[in-house]
Amino acid sequence: RCGLAAGRSYSGGGAYPSVSLACPLPGVPKAVFAAAEGRERFETRVTVLENGLRVASQNKFGQFCTVGILVNSGSRHEAKYLSGISHFLEKLAFSSTAQFGSKDEILLTLEKHGGICDCQASRDTIMYAVSADARGLDTVVNLLADVTLQPRLSDEEIEMTRMAIRFELEDLNMRPDPEPLLTEMIHAAAFRDNTVGLNRFCPVENTDKINRDVLHSYLSSYYTPDRMVLAGVGIEHEHLVECARKYLLGVEPVWGSGQGRAVDRSVAQYTGGIIKVEKDMSDVSLGPTPIPELTHIMIGLESCSFLEDDFIPFAVLNMMMGGGGSFSAGGPGKGMFTRLYLNVLNRHHWMYNATSYHHSYEDTGLLCIHASADPKQVREMVEIITREFILMAGAVGEVELERAKTQLKSMLMMNLESRPVIFEDVGRQVLATNTRKLPHELCALISQVKPTDIKRVVTKMLHKKPAVAALGDLTDLPTYEHIQAALSSKDGRLPRLYRLFR
């Protein structure tokens, strides 16, 4: 009556009624899994060429690879130059070169190998990357070498870049999400007029001043082999070194081999301070359900460099603080165990955002909290955030700490499932330290963090002057002196005189 369906065997049926799910089924061949052969299969290998260029690779299963060149250069090195050069170079990347007549020609070449390209400039690194079929490695390294050392920088390309940057700056000021602006402001307040405090975006007034000569002058100083790393994930190390010798050894760049200006080796000087931008945020988004008018505050304190031992406790602290928006899109309970959810967003319904961020560099770092609320409740919002900074130095529960450590390890391992993320991790670590800490080593360091480590790094951090960035209607914003006094108090409260007479 049931036809063929009657003869089907289901996993929950009676085929093996007495076999436990914890035991292998009788008569079924033993599964053979793919496995790395020996320790060398997951170690990061580094070779230094005669000209100082470092070649780093990480093996990974798969047909595709990610290869790129990272340069120790960014907005923090622009003190002796016009601000915004790194922003220009990011937009000009993968344009015409000595071998390729246009960006279209580059994209067509990559398309033959199923490849895509990207360039990202940060405060301390410029990264040119390509993901493509591993069989096209020779073509990819040749392309990367040409893009990095032989760009044409034609007048037409530079003019198009000026237009793109102006449009991006306009868009930046019109976006409902002010996080990129606040990040710039908090860095400028924390490291006023030096290194990582210099603007990452090109100021509007500099767009017409930056030309080919200015770019060549900068490139001659910072685009040298000893400041570069060729990193690859998903390829054989020997093959990558062979390609590097072929295309990056003994190549004279388009700007010549003469010495540029002296390289800026300034160490970041933390200053603290406040940067305020009065802005009408009442109409940042249009539509039937517009975003309400908000005032945004970011308060930060100096943490440490990623080269210091305290970097791991600071990373755990940042995860313990957590936070996010007033609505968590991941479903009920997402992130609800972090302090900024439990102590701030769950208790103060009028706050739209409370998020912790940790920015770390080769010589300094910045731990900050971003909060958003209605302009009329700015004073109370500032008091709540300063109180959270003070409470960081208090007792840390074992359950809370273990949860933060587990979450940090989980996030680390999940991110490193992605090949481009592994590539960036390999490149940045080798660029800064000439070696790479492997994931299991980082997980071991995270596991060793104790409550006393959290208390120690927080106590050290709270002795510094705060950095404050404020954007929106700032009528009720406390003065910098009052915020500093609140962070120096035992409970994070603003001075009483302010509350009575403001």
PDB file of all heavy atoms in Angstrom, residues 17-36:
ATOM      1  N   PRO A  17      18.921  -1.244  16.313  1.00  0.00           N
ATOM      2  CA  PRO A  17      18.167  -0.821  17.506  1.00  0.00           C
ATOM      3  C   PRO A  17      18.969  -0.853  18.798  1.00  0.00           C
ATOM      4  O   PRO A  17      18.653  -0.143  19.736  1.00  0.00           O
ATOM      5  CB  PRO A  17      17.021  -1.830  17.552  1.00  0.00           C
ATOM      6  CG  PRO A  17      17.530  -3.033  16.831  1.00  0.00           C
ATOM      7  CD  PRO A  17      18.435  -2.507  15.757  1.00  0.00           C
ATOM      8  N   SER A  18      20.017  -1.661  18.863  1.00  0.00           N
ATOM      9  CA  SER A  18      20.726  -1.816  20.139  1.00  0.00           C
ATOM     10  C   SER A  18      22.073  -1.086  20.176  1.00  0.00           C
ATOM     11  O   SER A  18      22.822  -1.243  21.136  1.00  0.00           O
ATOM     12  CB  SER A  18      20.948  -3.303  20.422  1.00  0.00           C
ATOM     13  OG  SER A  18      21.713  -3.881  19.373  1.00  0.00           O
ATOM     14  N   VAL A  19      22.411  -0.325  19.127  1.00  0.00           N
ATOM     15  CA  VAL A  19      23.716   0.344  19.079  1.00  0.00           C
ATOM     16  C   VAL A  19      23.578   1.769  19.617  1.00  0.00           C
ATOM     17  O   VAL A  19      22.733   2.539  19.159  1.00  0.00           O
ATOM     18  CB  VAL A  19      24.262   0.386  17.631  1.00  0.00           C
ATOM     19  CG1 VAL A  19      25.600   1.124  17.592  1.00  0.00           C
ATOM     20  CG2 VAL A  19      24.430  -1.033  17.101  1.00  0.00           C
ATOM     21  N   SER A  20      24.406   2.085  20.576  1.00  0.00           N
ATOM     22  CA  SER A  20      24.393   3.432  21.157  1.00  0.00           C
ATOM     23  C   SER A  20      24.881   4.452  20.125  1.00  0.00           C
ATOM     24  O   SER A  20      25.726   4.147  19.270  1.00  0.00           O
ATOM     25  CB  SER A  20      25.299   3.479  22.385  1.00  0.00           C
ATOM     26  OG  SER A  20      25.554   4.811  22.762  1.00  0.00           O
ATOM     27  N   LEU A  21      24.349   5.684  20.228  1.00  0.00           N
ATOM     28  CA  LEU A  21      24.784   6.738  19.310  1.00  0.00           C
ATOM     29  C   LEU A  21      26.241   7.127  19.543  1.00  0.00           C
ATOM     30  O   LEU A  21      26.866   7.786  18.712  1.00  0.00           O
ATOM     31  CB  LEU A  21      23.885   7.983  19.479  1.00  0.00           C
ATOM     32  CG  LEU A  21      22.441   7.818  18.997  1.00  0.00           C
ATOM     33  CD1 LEU A  21      21.639   9.064  19.319  1.00  0.00           C
ATOM     34  CD2 LEU A  21      22.406   7.552  17.502  1.00  0.00           C
ATOM     35  N   ALA A  22      26.801   6.750  20.701  1.00  0.00           N
ATOM     36  CA  ALA A  22      28.199   7.061  21.013  1.00  0.00           C
ATOM     37  C   ALA A  22      29.169   6.059  20.396  1.00  0.00           C
ATOM     38  O   ALA A  22      30.380   6.245  20.445  1.00  0.00           O
ATOM     39  CB  ALA A  22      28.396   7.105  22.532  1.00  0.00           C
ATOM     40  N   CYS A  23      28.654   4.964  19.803  1.00  0.00           N
ATOM     41  CA  CYS A  23      29.501   3.915  19.217  1.00  0.00           C
ATOM     42  C   CYS A  23      29.380   3.923  17.699  1.00  0.00           C
ATOM     43  O   CYS A  23      28.323   4.256  17.158  1.00  0.00           O
ATOM     44  CB  CYS A  23      29.080   2.542  19.738  1.00  0.00           C
ATOM     45  SG  CYS A  23      29.142   2.413  21.542  1.00  0.00           S
ATOM     46  N   PRO A  24      30.453   3.536  16.993  1.00  0.00           N
ATOM     47  CA  PRO A  24      30.361   3.434  15.529  1.00  0.00           C
ATOM     48  C   PRO A  24      29.435   2.294  15.129  1.00  0.00           C
ATOM     49  O   PRO A  24      29.309   1.295  15.833  1.00  0.00           O
ATOM     50  CB  PRO A  24      31.815   3.155  15.112  1.00  0.00           C
ATOM     51  CG  PRO A  24      32.467   2.583  16.323  1.00  0.00           C
ATOM     52  CD  PRO A  24      31.786   3.209  17.500  1.00  0.00           C
ATOM     53  N   LEU A  25      28.764   2.447  13.997  1.00  0.00           N
ATOM     54  CA  LEU A  25      27.847   1.425  13.528  1.00  0.00           C
ATOM     55  C   LEU A  25      28.638   0.221  13.015  1.00  0.00           C
ATOM     56  O   LEU A  25      29.652   0.380  12.329  1.00  0.00           O
ATOM     57  CB  LEU A  25      26.966   1.978  12.406  1.00  0.00           C
ATOM     58  CG  LEU A  25      26.021   3.121  12.806  1.00  0.00           C
ATOM     59  CD1 LEU A  25      25.278   3.645  11.573  1.00  0.00           C
ATOM     60  CD2 LEU A  25      25.020   2.648  13.852  1.00  0.00           C
ATOM     61  N   PRO A  26      28.209  -0.988  13.315  1.00  0.00           N
ATOM     62  CA  PRO A  26      28.934  -2.188  12.854  1.00  0.00           C
ATOM     63  C   PRO A  26      28.859  -2.329  11.338  1.00  0.00           C
ATOM     64  O   PRO A  26      27.832  -2.054  10.718  1.00  0.00           O
ATOM     65  CB  PRO A  26      28.194  -3.335  13.558  1.00  0.00           C
ATOM     66  CG  PRO A  26      26.853  -2.776  13.913  1.00  0.00           C
ATOM     67  CD  PRO A  26      27.048  -1.324  14.165  1.00  0.00           C
ATOM     68  N   GLY A  27      29.995  -2.696  10.762  1.00  0.00           N
ATOM     69  CA  GLY A  27      30.039  -2.934   9.326  1.00  0.00           C
ATOM     70  C   GLY A  27      30.251  -1.700   8.482  1.00  0.00           C
ATOM     71  O   GLY A  27      30.385  -1.794   7.257  1.00  0.00           O
ATOM     72  N   VAL A  28      30.288  -0.518   9.098  1.00  0.00           N
ATOM     73  CA  VAL A  28      30.498   0.724   8.347  1.00  0.00           C
ATOM     74  C   VAL A  28      31.989   1.034   8.311  1.00  0.00           C
ATOM     75  O   VAL A  28      32.650   1.009   9.356  1.00  0.00           O
ATOM     76  CB  VAL A  28      29.722   1.893   8.994  1.00  0.00           C
ATOM     77  CG1 VAL A  28      30.019   3.203   8.266  1.00  0.00           C
ATOM     78  CG2 VAL A  28      28.232   1.601   8.964  1.00  0.00           C
ATOM     79  N   PRO A  29      32.572   1.299   7.126  1.00  0.00           N
ATOM     80  CA  PRO A  29      34.018   1.585   7.054  1.00  0.00           C
ATOM     81  C   PRO A  29      34.390   2.796   7.907  1.00  0.00           C
ATOM     82  O   PRO A  29      33.605   3.741   8.048  1.00  0.00           O
ATOM     83  CB  PRO A  29      34.245   1.896   5.562  1.00  0.00           C
ATOM     84  CG  PRO A  29      33.079   1.304   4.871  1.00  0.00           C
ATOM     85  CD  PRO A  29      31.927   1.335   5.808  1.00  0.00           C
ATOM     86  N   LYS A  30      35.567   2.744   8.484  1.00  0.00           N
ATOM     87  CA  LYS A  30      36.041   3.836   9.334  1.00  0.00           C
ATOM     88  C   LYS A  30      36.311   5.076   8.468  1.00  0.00           C
ATOM     89  O   LYS A  30      36.941   4.982   7.416  1.00  0.00           O
ATOM     90  CB  LYS A  30      37.324   3.418  10.048  1.00  0.00           C
ATOM     91  CG  LYS A  30      37.779   4.422  11.079  1.00  0.00           C
ATOM     92  CD  LYS A  30      39.018   3.917  11.825  1.00  0.00           C
ATOM     93  CE  LYS A  30      39.471   4.951  12.851  1.00  0.00           C
ATOM     94  NZ  LYS A  30      40.673   4.496  13.579  1.00  0.00           N
ATOM     95  N   ALA A  31      35.836   6.233   8.927  1.00  0.00           N
ATOM     96  CA  ALA A  31      36.008   7.484   8.172  1.00  0.00           C
ATOM     97  C   ALA A  31      37.469   7.916   8.190  1.00  0.00           C
ATOM     98  O   ALA A  31      38.155   7.791   9.206  1.00  0.00           O
ATOM     99  CB  ALA A  31      35.142   8.582   8.774  1.00  0.00           C
ATOM    100  N   VAL A  32      37.939   8.402   7.056  1.00  0.00           N
ATOM    101  CA  VAL A  32      39.308   8.938   6.956  1.00  0.00           C
ATOM    102  C   VAL A  32      39.188  10.431   6.677  1.00  0.00           C
ATOM    103  O   VAL A  32      38.618  10.853   5.672  1.00  0.00           O
ATOM    104  CB  VAL A  32      40.098   8.246   5.819  1.00  0.00           C
ATOM    105  CG1 VAL A  32      41.493   8.836   5.728  1.00  0.00           C
ATOM    106  CG2 VAL A  32      40.150   6.752   6.060  1.00  0.00           C
ATOM    107  N   PHE A  33      39.701  11.252   7.595  1.00  0.00           N
ATOM    108  CA  PHE A  33      39.578  12.695   7.478  1.00  0.00           C
ATOM    109  C   PHE A  33      40.874  13.307   6.946  1.00  0.00           C
ATOM    110  O   PHE A  33      41.972  12.798   7.207  1.00  0.00           O
ATOM    111  CB  PHE A  33      39.248  13.327   8.832  1.00  0.00           C
ATOM    112  CG  PHE A  33      37.947  12.834   9.422  1.00  0.00           C
ATOM    113  CD1 PHE A  33      37.927  11.843  10.390  1.00  0.00           C
ATOM    114  CD2 PHE A  33      36.742  13.358   8.972  1.00  0.00           C
ATOM    115  CE1 PHE A  33      36.730  11.381  10.919  1.00  0.00           C
ATOM    116  CE2 PHE A  33      35.540  12.913   9.496  1.00  0.00           C
ATOM    117  CZ  PHE A  33      35.532  11.928  10.475  1.00  0.00           C
ATOM    118  N   ALA A  34      40.734  14.407   6.201  1.00  0.00           N
ATOM    119  CA  ALA A  34      41.911  15.154   5.753  1.00  0.00           C
ATOM    120  C   ALA A  34      42.596  15.748   6.971  1.00  0.00           C
ATOM    121  O   ALA A  34      41.940  16.246   7.879  1.00  0.00           O
ATOM    122  CB  ALA A  34      41.488  16.264   4.790  1.00  0.00           C
ATOM    123  N   ALA A  35      43.908  15.693   7.001  1.00  0.00           N
ATOM    124  CA  ALA A  35      44.643  16.197   8.164  1.00  0.00           C
ATOM    125  C   ALA A  35      45.958  16.814   7.715  1.00  0.00           C
ATOM    126  O   ALA A  35      46.528  16.420   6.691  1.00  0.00           O
ATOM    127  CB  ALA A  35      44.910  15.067   9.154  1.00  0.00           C
ATOM    128  N   ALA A  36      46.419  17.797   8.487  1.00  0.00           N
ATOM    129  CA  ALA A  36      47.720  18.411   8.210  1.00  0.00           C
ATOM    130  C   ALA A  36      48.814  17.414   8.529  1.00  0.00           C
ATOM    131  O   ALA A  36      48.747  16.701   9.529  1.00  0.00           O
ATOM    132  CB  ALA A  36      47.895  19.667   9.050  1.00  0.00           C
TER     133      ALA A  36
END
